[in-house]
């Protein structure tokens, strides 16, 4: 998946307004950051996480940038992993534990609300982070209060959305409450005209449509690829 140009996908800190998500820059661009700034940029050779203070050149560091498109090919396609993957986290006691990680950008996390971009409305999958036991989730239609329940078997994190009774249409919104969730969340569907063709298109459309939960998930994957120190001058 080729990158058309460099694009900011996340920006935090004092200079965030100068480098908003979606901003595209030429290869010879230089980024000046202050202390507490952090900018994640998609480049032609992968992804770079820039931390201030310092001045960065997008033409440098390409030899250390990993190939984000190859690593994320299954993550950003609807041919994603069939089971949840895990990532190491620290418990309150300091011991390392395994935390479930959503394995596909287009799986709907039952615990996350907000706008959700749908690439294939006929094959929408609901994912749950806690899959050690069996569980259910209630899907409520806000307009009429009708409730539809879905159920996961023990050890299975994935469940097909019940499209036969709850159509996945643009602008539709539903409230979800998982049996192991502390509170319900409201999801608003945004239907895409087609599956994004590459990483660049995927990031751009998530930013454009306001699907911030999926964008955050994508950025988290990208930021695992590496962090760059400042190139001064």
């Amino acid at each position: 998946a080729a990158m058309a140009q460099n694009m900011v996908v996340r920006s935090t800190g004092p200079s965030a307004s100068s480098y908003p998500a979606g901003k595209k820059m030429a290869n010879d661009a230089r980024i000046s950051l202050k202390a507490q700034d952090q900018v994640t940029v998609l480049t032609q050779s992968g992804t770079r996480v820039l931390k201030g203070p310092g001045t960065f050149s997008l033409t440098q560091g390409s030899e250390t940038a990993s190939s984000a498109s190859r690593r994320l090919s299954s993550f950003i396609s609807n041919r994603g992993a069939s089971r949840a993957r895990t990532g190491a986290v620290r418990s309150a006691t300091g011991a390392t534990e395994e935390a479930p990680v959503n394995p596909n950008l287009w799986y709907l996390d039952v615990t996350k609300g907000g706008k959700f971009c749908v690439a294939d409305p006929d094959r929408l999958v609901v994912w749950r982070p806690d899959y050690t036991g069996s569980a259910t989730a209630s899907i409520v239609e806000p307009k009429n209060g009708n409730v539809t329940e879905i159920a996961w078997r023990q050890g299975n994190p994935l469940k097909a959305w019940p499209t036969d009774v709850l159509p996945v249409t643009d602008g539709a919104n539903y409230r979800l409450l998982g049996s192991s969730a502390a509170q319900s969340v409201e999801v608003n569907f945004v239907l895409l005209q087609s599956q994004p063709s590459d990483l660049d298109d995927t990031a751009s459309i998530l930013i454009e449509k306001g699907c911030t939960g999926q964008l955050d998930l994508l950025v988290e994957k990208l930021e695992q690829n590496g962090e760059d120190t400042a190139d001064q001058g």
Side-chain angles (χ1 to χ4, degrees):
M3 287 294 300
Q5 53 190 309
N6 306 298
M7 180 172 62
V8 175
V9 291
R10 173 179 282 174
S11 182
T12 59
S15 305
S17 60
S18 299
Y19 304 102
K23 181 181 178 67
K24 297 184 178 181
M25 296 169 289
N27 286 330
D28 59 356
R30 297 181 70 82
I31 299 178
S32 296
L33 300 181
K34 301 176 182 178
Q36 306 303 316
D37 279 334
Q38 180 168 314
V39 177
T40 301
V41 184
L42 287 181
T43 72
Q44 293 181 357
S45 55
T47 180
R48 297 180 67 186
V49 181
L50 312 177
K51 289 186 176 183
T55 300
F56 301 79
S57 171
L58 294 180
T59 60
Q60 296 184 5
S62 59
E63 68 279 359
T64 60
S66 58
S67 176
S69 59
R70 287 197 301 270
R71 290 190 177 189
L72 299 174
S73 60
S74 63
F75 178 71
I76 64 174
S77 76
N78 274 320
R79 302 186 305 275
S82 61
R83 64 178 60 186
R85 296 169 183 162
T86 59
V89 296
R90 291 286 180 180
S91 68
T93 61
T96 300
E97 298 178 347
E98 296 296 315
V101 178
N102 192 337
N104 189 279
L105 188 63
W106 310 108
Y107 289 170
L108 174 61
D109 187 338
V110 71
T111 67
K112 305 292 185 182
K115 287 187 176 181
F116 185 83
C117 287
V118 180
D120 187 347
D122 295 325
R123 296 197 303 167
L124 179 61
V125 172
V126 186
W127 177 83
R128 58 168 177 150
D130 181 7
Y131 57 94
T132 55
S134 58
T136 62
S138 298
I139 306 174
V140 183
E141 300 175 67
K143 290 184 178 180
N144 54 31
N146 290 342
V147 179
T148 301
E149 284 201 348
I150 58 176
W152 292 270
R153 291 176 297 178
Q154 182 175 357
N156 189 351
L158 308 179
K159 184 68 178 182
W161 179 273
T163 54
D164 54 336
V165 293
L166 298 176
V168 180
T169 58
D170 189 56
N173 63 90
Y174 298 99
R175 184 162 293 278
L176 281 66
L177 177 60
S179 57
S180 59
Q183 59 184 10
S184 63
V185 297
E186 184 172 321
V187 175
N188 300 279
F189 289 141
V190 179
L191 263 59
L192 306 184
Q193 295 297 318
S194 61
Q195 170 82 32
S197 59
D198 54 33
L199 183 58
D200 192 7
D201 286 344
T202 300
S204 294
I205 201 164
L206 293 179
I207 293 170
E208 176 190 348
K209 299 298 185 181
C211 298
T212 56
Q214 286 161 289
L215 180 63
D216 287 344
L217 182 60
L218 177 62
V219 171
E220 288 172 9
K221 292 286 186 180
L222 294 174
E223 289 181 345
Q224 295 173 3
N225 290 347
E227 299 177 352
D228 286 350
T229 55
D231 167 34
Q232 302 286 352

